């Protein structure tokens, strides 16, 4: 009889009410900030790991247990958002604490295995005090009333992902990057605790609070998330370093770039291109709009775009036609772009781009973030706020012609390396081509003056030039079209590296 009751207790149950543990506690942003400050003054203590059996799950076993959306938080209410949860294990050896805020008080959700469904491939595993959820998924009625589809996920370290309405997940973001690409190794602080504000009927925003903790830093975060196209997140972060942070990344973005027309040679693939993002766009403090196509280099490379008070930056997916990829399953043409708009003057620093070699598309190999010039001192608060826009490109901050595409490769007899840049049709580029001045330069080697022609397929202009790197292992290239002393296009930048 006891065995029957135990089996019934673990059986999936649809429409289950959330199970809480412990007493309700007052919650406020001031309390969360004080908690982050308190943590930063103590020695870092990682959370305990879940039982070994959960950590030893294979990928197939992990996927054979999934959350039943009928058990979502607020599922049987008129709340405009539903919340699903992920179980721990495999890549997620530590659980996070998830709390629900209502009327100014927070209650902690207990791990409830009966909220999940599973196949017979999932093993019987212990559930002890270390167990909890590994993350959460946010859903809303985005396209049809009563049909709630996902628009954001928080899971793993300080990683989270979002999509605009109708899009497919692609690039990710993080709460903070520490020592990215440093020889001593990168640190990955984690969101250890979440607080979800209970929304009222009709609320357009879902508000999530998070506590960040890691060996070098603690922090308090607030995300005000509005689904749609684009999906936006208003982020505020209060950081409390345990030690001076010399290399810290604010608003870090993580993506994948495998190949496109710039590095097609050597990729035996039926698809025309494979990437979640194809370029880094920057609106710098000087008012320039920069476009840097991404690369999959032979060796790790870091590029720093020095600036003072940036207006915005982001990783873009400009290729939007199916034929640009030819992939019916991955749907790379539906992946979101992500644009960061600072909420205040971030001062001097650099937009930093890290490109890591990869031979498979399953690995994220692109990182972009803002690196302040000055270290973040310990023992004090450092505040940053910004908006994240997940969807297409942001409204054009400057009336200049964008770069549509870049192609790099040998000419017909392989005697030269050609760079071909297509600029979109734009009022700035219409009229007499001869009034446009071609600014093409490199820091090493030699570049030709370039040839400018109309592209009948795009309606815009195509700039073609050749370059000879000589014996240089890397060459920084720059190009733009200028009229009357003013740039009429984005500033195209690229780092060529020897194979």
């Amino acid at each position: 009889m006891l065995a029957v009751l135990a089996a019934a207790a673990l059986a999936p149950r649809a429409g289950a009410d959330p199970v809480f543990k412990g007493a309700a506690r007052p919650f406020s942003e001031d309390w969360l900030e004080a908690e982050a400050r308190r943590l930063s003054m103590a020695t870092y203590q990682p959370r305990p790991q879940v039982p070994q059996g959960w950590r030893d799950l294979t990928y197939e076993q992990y996927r054979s247990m999934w959350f039943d959306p009928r058990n979502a938080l607020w599922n049987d209410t008129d709340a405009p958002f539903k919340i699903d949860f992920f179980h721990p294990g495999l890549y997620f050896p530590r659980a996070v604490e998830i709390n629900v805020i209502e009327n100014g008080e927070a209650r902690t959700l207990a791990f409830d295995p009966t909220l999940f469904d599973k196949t017979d491939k999932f093993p019987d595993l212990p559930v002890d005090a270390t167990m909890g959820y590994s993350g959460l998924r946010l859903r809303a009625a985005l396209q049809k009333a009563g049909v709630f589809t996902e628009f954001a996920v928080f899971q793993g370290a300080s990683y989270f992902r979002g999509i605009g309405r109708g899009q497919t997940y692609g690039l990710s973001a993080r709460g903070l990057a520490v020592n990215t690409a440093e020889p001593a190794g990168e640190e990955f602080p984690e969101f250890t605790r979440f607080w979800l504000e209970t929304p009222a009927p009709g609320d357009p925003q879902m508000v999530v609070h998070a506590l960040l903790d890691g060996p070098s830093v603690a922090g308090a975060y607030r995300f005000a998330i509005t689904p749609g196209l684009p999906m936006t997140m208003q982020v505020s972060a209060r950081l409390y370093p345990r030690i001076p942070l010399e290399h810290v990344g604010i608003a870090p973005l993580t993506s994948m770039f495998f190949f496109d027309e710039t590095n097609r040679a050597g990729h035996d693939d039926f698809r025309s291109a494979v990437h979640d993002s194809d370029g880094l766009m920057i609106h710098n403090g000087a008012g320039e709009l920069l476009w840097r196509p991404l690369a999959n280099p032979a060796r790790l490379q870091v590029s720093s775009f020095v600036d003072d008070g940036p207006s915005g930056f982001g990783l873009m997916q400009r290729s939007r036609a199916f034929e640009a990829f030819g992939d019916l399953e991955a749907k790379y043409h539906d992946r979101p772009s992500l644009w960061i708009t600072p909420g205040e003057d971030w001062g001097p620093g650099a937009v930093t781009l890290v490109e890591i070699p990869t031979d498979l598309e399953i690995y994220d190999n692109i990182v972009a973030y803002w690196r302040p010039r000055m270290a973040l001192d310990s023992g004090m608060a450092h505040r940053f706020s910004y908006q994240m826009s997940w969807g297409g490109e942001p409204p054009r901050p400057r009336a200049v012609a964008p770069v549509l595409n870049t192609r790099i490769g040998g000419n017909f007899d392989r005697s030269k390396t050609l760079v071909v840049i297509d600029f979109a049709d734009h009022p700035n580029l219409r009229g007499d081509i001869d009034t446009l001045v071609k600014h093409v330069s490199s820091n090493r080697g030699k570049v030709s003056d370039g040839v400018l022609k109309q592209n009948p397929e795009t309606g815009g202009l195509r700039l073609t030039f050749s370059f000879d790197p000589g014996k240089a292992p890397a060459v920084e290239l720059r190009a733009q079209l200028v009229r009357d002393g003013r740039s009429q296009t984005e500033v195209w930048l690229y780092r060529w590296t020897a194979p």
Side-chain angles (χ1 to χ4, degrees):
M1 178 63 114
L2 289 176
V4 173
L5 290 174
L10 292 175
R13 54 197 176 100
D17 292 328
V19 177
F20 295 99
K21 61 181 180 181
R25 304 172 305 280
F27 177 87
S28 68
E29 291 185 45
D30 288 342
W31 175 86
L32 181 57
E33 189 169 348
E35 179 70 0
R37 183 187 299 110
R38 182 191 69 80
L39 278 178
S40 72
M41 298 172 66
T43 302
Y44 170 68
Q45 297 291 334
R47 291 166 295 139
Q49 294 187 329
V50 298
Q52 188 72 42
W54 291 85
R55 307 198 309 267
D56 290 343
L57 289 172
T58 66
Y59 180 74
E60 290 74 18
Q61 288 173 327
Y62 184 85
R63 286 175 56 86
S64 66
M65 181 176 178
W66 62 93
F67 189 82
D68 185 340
R70 295 174 296 176
N71 296 326
L73 183 65
W74 307 315
N75 191 60
D76 294 326
T77 74
D78 54 1
F81 303 104
K82 314 298 180 189
I83 310 295
D84 303 337
F85 304 106
F86 299 102
H87 64 80
L90 188 59
Y91 307 127
F92 311 103
R94 293 181 172 87
V96 299
E97 179 185 292
I98 299 178
N99 302 272
V100 179
I101 306 169
E102 191 165 12
N103 299 323
E105 292 191 321
R107 301 181 68 190
T108 302
L109 286 169
F111 179 70
D112 185 355
T114 68
L115 302 183
F116 296 83
D117 202 354
K118 57 186 177 180
T119 71
D120 57 3
K121 294 182 179 180
F122 195 85
D124 292 328
L125 297 175
V127 175
D128 63 13
T130 66
M131 287 295 290
Y133 303 108
S134 64
L136 55 115
R137 173 170 50 221
L138 283 61
R139 294 187 288 123
L142 300 177
Q143 295 176 303
K144 184 178 180 181
V147 178
F148 285 73
T149 55
E150 61 184 296
F151 60 91
V153 166
F154 290 80
Q155 188 183 31
S158 68
Y159 282 91
F160 55 98
R161 298 190 297 167
I163 49 175
R165 183 176 56 248
Q167 293 187 321
T168 301
Y169 281 117
L171 80 171
S172 304
R174 279 186 278 169
L176 196 69
V178 179
N179 294 335
T180 303
E182 291 287 353
E186 184 169 3
E187 178 182 319
F188 292 89
E190 300 180 331
F191 287 140
T192 59
R193 302 166 71 183
F194 290 94
W195 290 262
L196 313 176
E197 291 192 12
T198 300
D203 274 355
Q205 287 186 335
M206 177 67 211
V207 178
V208 177
H209 304 269
L211 181 68
L212 182 86
D213 198 16
S216 300
V217 62
Y221 283 71
R222 181 183 189 271
F223 299 86
I225 309 170
T226 305
L229 186 63
M231 185 270 281
T232 62
M233 294 180 173
Q234 299 289 342
V235 184
S236 64
R238 286 90 75 197
L239 303 175
Y240 297 89
R242 287 185 165 91
I243 61 174
L245 296 180
E246 300 285 344
H247 186 171
V248 63
I250 306 301
L253 315 179
T254 302
S255 192
M256 180 276 293
F257 179 87
F258 192 26
F259 69 87
D260 68 359
E261 294 92 334
T262 62
N263 64 330
R264 190 70 177 82
H267 292 277
D268 184 14
D269 199 296
F270 76 94
R271 296 163 296 183
S272 306
V274 174
H275 51 74
D276 286 335
S277 307
D278 53 9
L280 170 67
M281 187 165 76
I282 302 171
H283 186 201
N284 65 20
E288 291 182 310
L289 201 57
L290 312 180
W291 176 254
R292 165 63 154 75
L294 299 179
N296 180 4
R299 293 165 293 278
L300 181 145
Q301 62 182 24
V302 179
S303 303
S304 296
F305 303 89
V306 177
D307 200 359
D308 193 342
S311 295
F313 71 94
L315 292 175
M316 303 290 107
Q317 181 75 317
R318 281 192 171 167
S319 300
R320 288 298 173 191
F322 167 77
E323 285 300 328
F325 304 94
D327 193 325
L328 287 171
E329 282 72 39
K331 298 182 179 179
Y332 287 113
H333 60 291
D334 284 337
R335 304 290 171 108
S337 297
L338 178 50
W339 182 251
I340 305 297
T341 304
E344 62 277 324
D345 185 354
W346 283 359
V351 175
T352 303
L353 175 66
V354 180
E355 296 165 304
I356 305 167
T358 185
D359 57 2
L360 290 172
E361 65 193 271
I362 61 174
Y363 299 119
D364 285 342
N365 64 320
I366 303 296
V367 187
Y369 52 88
W370 172 255
R371 180 178 179 177
R373 180 184 299 172
M374 303 298 294
L376 303 188
D377 289 333
S378 58
M380 59 186 301
H382 302 270
R383 300 173 183 270
F384 297 90
S385 66
Y386 49 94
Q387 177 178 283
M388 313 182 78
S389 180
W390 305 74
E393 291 203 20
R396 300 295 295 174
R398 282 201 61 204
V400 294
V403 175
L404 280 181
N405 203 6
T406 301
R407 293 174 169 85
I408 299 176
N411 65 344
F412 73 98
D413 63 359
R414 304 300 186 267
S415 61
K416 297 178 180 179
T417 298
L418 297 182
V419 176
V420 179
I421 307 169
D422 280 313
F423 294 102
D425 182 21
H426 192 275
N428 289 11
L429 302 184
R430 294 170 191 163
D432 188 356
I433 289 181
D434 293 336
T435 63
L436 290 166
V437 180
K438 305 179 293 292
H439 283 199
V440 180
S441 62
S442 66
N443 67 333
R444 296 184 180 91
K446 298 179 181 179
V447 295
S448 68
D449 291 336
V451 176
L452 194 59
K453 291 184 178 181
Q454 194 81 32
N455 185 335
E457 290 296 316
T458 65
L461 298 182
R462 169 172 287 191
L463 174 63
T464 303
F465 65 91
S466 64
F467 74 95
D468 179 1
K471 296 182 180 181
V475 178
E476 300 287 350
L477 300 167
R478 179 184 175 104
Q480 65 189 118
L481 301 180
V482 175
R483 179 185 283 131
D484 298 329
R486 289 180 55 84
S487 180
Q488 304 300 306
T489 64
E490 292 177 332
V491 179
W492 177 92
L493 305 170
Y494 194 77
R495 175 182 289 175
W496 176 90
T497 56

